Amino acid sequence: MVSAVDRPTDAQLSDFRERVRAHIAQHAPPIQAREGHRAPETAEQEALLSPSLFEAGLAGADWPVEYGGRDDHHPLHDRIVSEEILRARAPRPVDQVNLAAHVLLHFGSDEQKRRLLPPIRRSEQVWCQLLSEPDAGSDIAAVRSRGVHQADGSWLLDGQKTWITDGHWADMGLALIRTDPASSRHHGLSVFAVPLSADGVEIRPIRTIGDAIEVNEVFLTSVRLGAQSLIGEVGQGWSIIMAGLDFERFGIGGNVILLELLIDDLVTVAGKALIDGAPALDSGDIRQQVAELAVEVEVAKAFIDDHVERLTSGDEQPGDGSIAKLSFAETYHRVAAYGAELAAAVTVIGRGDDDVRQAKERLRECWLWSRAYTISGGSSEMMRNILAKRRLHLPSR
């Protein structure tokens, strides 16, 4: 994706970053973000930071100006906003809204844009993605949920969606539905805007290993939707969803901050906690392992930075996104796994070591959540398959 706006200078990006930091410092709630506990736990937490970000033009800045966007927006601005929210350990806005907003902007009718976009900007409506199914996780082309066109123009939807992030808080769902029963794979799919309060919608939260509710099952049983719920044309679903997902690729850039925070916590624990009465980092083996993981993080950051630069310049190569995704997810898991192991082995003494205790707890939570990153947004196995086909041109079996 190439921006129509020239790349900002380093000085301009630095000024923008300072503006973002000041905004977050002023508006972030007194709640620290936790990996694996990203979904709000109360109604009060649901939209703590999002409204101020939209009002300040920091969120939704890539929208057309007539819908609230900025004409000086550049994709690197989005990366900076994401980075600074993560660096401040502030609760992240519900990012599932981004896909829905871009799908509406590019494929929605004028009526749908007027009706559905303003509540998103006011943070009055949370959206989720109704894509994955029990037998169609990373391979969403295999969806089987079906939609049947009725004589009065309405649609009747039936099926099951699973691993739905923030589904228990969402007001609306962007659903990929098979509307041609004779079709298969990428053909015969359509996209619908589904009110989750509609009759026939049942949401069952799934509790994770970290004892949090992040994802859900959503059951659609004879859910009747009006003709105005269809987004785009019938049978256009695959291209709509793929185009929408393209807009999410810049999100991986901001995630490098999660790797930096992981290493910071690992160094805090290794440097201040004790093993056999001495700082863990005094051990040559531990020092070596921490150093190797720190190098892995720097390599992953380099891959991801290169990927973002290629995206912004229009020079993306086949498989670049898969490399970036793999680099982040697998590095995150390795660092978090070692960090949790080390945190369990060290001793913390003294009242002044609250920062070490917090780092230990964060490492444990990151480890419990780390496998989710190797699955969500396309599993590591699928990323390797994509690389094999598109980058290495290996034959399919």
Side-chain angles (χ1 to χ4, degrees):
M1 179 170 63
V2 185
S3 173
V5 177
D6 291 339
R7 190 187 195 284
T9 65
D10 290 345
Q12 290 171 328
L13 290 175
S14 179
D15 289 344
F16 182 79
R17 189 180 294 277
E18 290 303 317
R19 175 188 164 198
V20 173
R21 284 179 178 173
H23 181 90
I24 293 172
Q26 180 179 356
H27 294 279
I31 301 172
Q32 189 171 102
R34 299 169 59 191
E35 285 290 83
H37 296 258
R38 298 179 303 173
E41 295 181 357
T42 67
E44 291 73 25
Q45 293 178 11
E46 184 176 346
L48 289 171
L49 188 57
S50 294
S52 72
L53 291 174
F54 276 112
E55 291 168 7
L58 301 179
D62 55 339
W63 294 20
V65 173
E66 60 267 31
Y67 291 106
R70 295 198 328 263
D71 56 10
D72 65 341
H73 169 266
H74 189 276
L76 290 177
H77 292 152
D78 295 334
R79 181 180 183 181
I80 289 173
V81 172
S82 177
E83 286 179 344
E84 293 307 319
I85 291 173
L86 293 174
R87 185 172 279 122
R89 298 191 188 274
R92 282 171 268 177
V94 177
D95 57 3
Q96 309 300 310
V97 174
N98 294 333
L99 174 68
H102 285 109
V103 163
L104 290 169
L105 285 167
H106 289 81
F107 299 96
S109 66
D110 290 341
E111 184 277 331
Q112 287 171 331
K113 294 175 185 177
R114 289 193 300 268
R115 174 167 51 90
L116 297 173
L117 288 174
I120 292 177
R121 290 199 75 89
R122 294 193 300 266
S123 298
E124 294 174 355
Q125 285 189 346
V126 172
W127 285 64
C128 64
Q129 301 173 12
L130 300 176
L131 304 182
S132 297
E133 297 186 2
D135 295 319
S138 295
D139 183 16
I140 59 173
V143 299
R144 295 189 297 181
S145 294
R146 63 189 183 277
V148 179
H149 201 198
Q150 306 297 297
D152 62 358
S154 65
W155 290 86
L156 211 59
L157 271 54
D158 287 276
Q160 178 184 353
K161 299 292 183 176
T162 193
W163 309 124
I164 307 305
T165 302
D166 296 314
H168 56 307
W169 286 107
D171 305 286
M172 300 288 294
L174 191 72
L176 185 63
I177 302 293
R178 190 165 299 281
T179 48
D180 179 358
S183 66
S184 63
R185 302 298 298 162
H186 312 95
H187 307 287
L189 300 169
S190 302
V191 173
F192 294 86
V194 181
L196 297 189
S197 60
D199 291 341
V201 177
E202 180 186 359
I203 300 171
R204 299 180 188 175
I206 300 172
R207 191 165 292 276
T208 67
I209 192 173
D211 196 30
I213 296 174
E214 291 282 312
V215 293
N216 306 261
E217 290 181 291
V218 178
F219 294 85
L220 308 173
T221 305
S222 298
V223 177
R224 187 175 294 274
L225 301 178
Q228 74 277 9
S229 295
L230 175 69
I231 298 176
E233 302 293 332
V234 175
Q236 195 183 8
W238 180 256
S239 59
I240 290 176
I241 292 299
M242 289 300 103
L245 291 174
D246 278 346
F247 290 101
E248 295 192 320
R249 292 181 297 171
F250 282 93
I252 192 69
N255 280 346
V256 296
I257 301 302
L258 292 175
L259 297 176
E260 293 181 6
L261 294 176
L262 259 180
I263 285 293
D264 288 346
D265 282 339
L266 181 58
V267 171
T268 294
V269 171
K272 295 184 178 180
L274 307 178
I275 291 182
D276 296 331
L281 209 54
D282 286 355
S283 165
D285 290 344
I286 292 175
R287 190 164 57 249
Q288 176 72 19
Q289 185 64 51
V290 171
E292 289 179 359
L293 290 172
V295 170
E296 282 195 49
V297 166
E298 291 303 316
V299 171
K301 287 168 55 181
F303 272 127
I304 294 167
D305 288 344
D306 181 67
H307 170 56
V308 172
E309 288 298 329
R310 286 179 181 274
L311 279 174
T312 57
S313 66
D315 189 33
E316 185 183 16
Q317 301 299 310
D320 278 359
S322 296
I323 293 174
K325 206 279 185 178
L326 265 174
S327 297
F328 168 75
E330 296 297 330
T331 302
Y332 184 100
H333 174 67
R334 283 192 292 272
V335 177
Y338 181 76
E341 179 183 350
L342 181 63
V346 298
T347 302
V348 181
I349 59 175
R351 294 182 178 179
D353 290 329
D354 286 344
D355 57 337
V356 181
R357 292 188 177 90
Q358 291 173 3
K360 285 181 61 175
E361 180 60 21
R362 284 194 295 262
L363 287 170
R364 187 187 73 87
E365 290 182 341
C366 288
W367 173 62
L368 291 176
W369 186 243
S370 64
R371 275 303 181 198
Y373 282 125
T374 67
I375 298 171
S376 63
S379 67
S380 291
E381 290 77 11
M382 285 203 67
M383 294 300 103
R384 293 185 178 98
N385 285 339
I386 291 172
L387 279 172
K389 293 177 182 178
R390 299 182 184 176
R391 192 64 164 250
L392 302 178
H393 304 293
L394 297 179
S396 301
R397 287 188 177 181

